[in-house]
């Protein structure tokens, strides 16, 4: 019974990977985060208007 429990605990542990095995997978994950796009690159009209307003633009009521 103890042998069976020891065998289960040995096989249920995650396998320790070598650095060479993990590096390509980690690189793909990091690159996917950096390369993703949240939108098509255009700004909503109100945000664009806020960027277009100059520092000396008078406020109109």
């Amino acid at each position: 019974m103890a042998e069976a429990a020891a065998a289960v605990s040995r096989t249920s542990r995650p396998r320790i990977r070598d650095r060479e095995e993990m590096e390509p997978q980690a690189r793909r994950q990091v690159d996917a985060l950096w390369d993703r796009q949240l939108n098509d690159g255009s700004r909503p009209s109100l945000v664009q208007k806020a960027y277009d307003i100059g520092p000396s633009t008078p406020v109109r009521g």
Side-chain angles (χ1 to χ4, degrees):
M1 184 78 165
E3 292 173 9
V8 168
S9 68
R10 271 187 270 131
T11 58
S12 63
R13 284 191 217 149
R15 184 171 68 102
I16 297 174
R17 298 176 138 188
D18 294 327
R19 177 182 165 93
E20 293 80 24
E21 275 185 71
M22 291 182 62
E23 191 169 348
Q25 179 184 1
R27 173 64 59 192
R28 281 193 305 273
Q29 290 173 348
V30 169
D31 288 344
L33 286 173
W34 280 98
D35 294 341
R36 75 178 179 167
Q37 285 188 329
L38 299 178
N39 60 22
D40 62 355
S42 61
R43 296 180 179 138
S45 61
L46 288 176
V47 173
Q48 185 59 47
K49 186 175 181 179
Y51 274 96
D52 293 340
I53 294 175
S56 62
T57 304
V59 177
R60 295 182 185 146

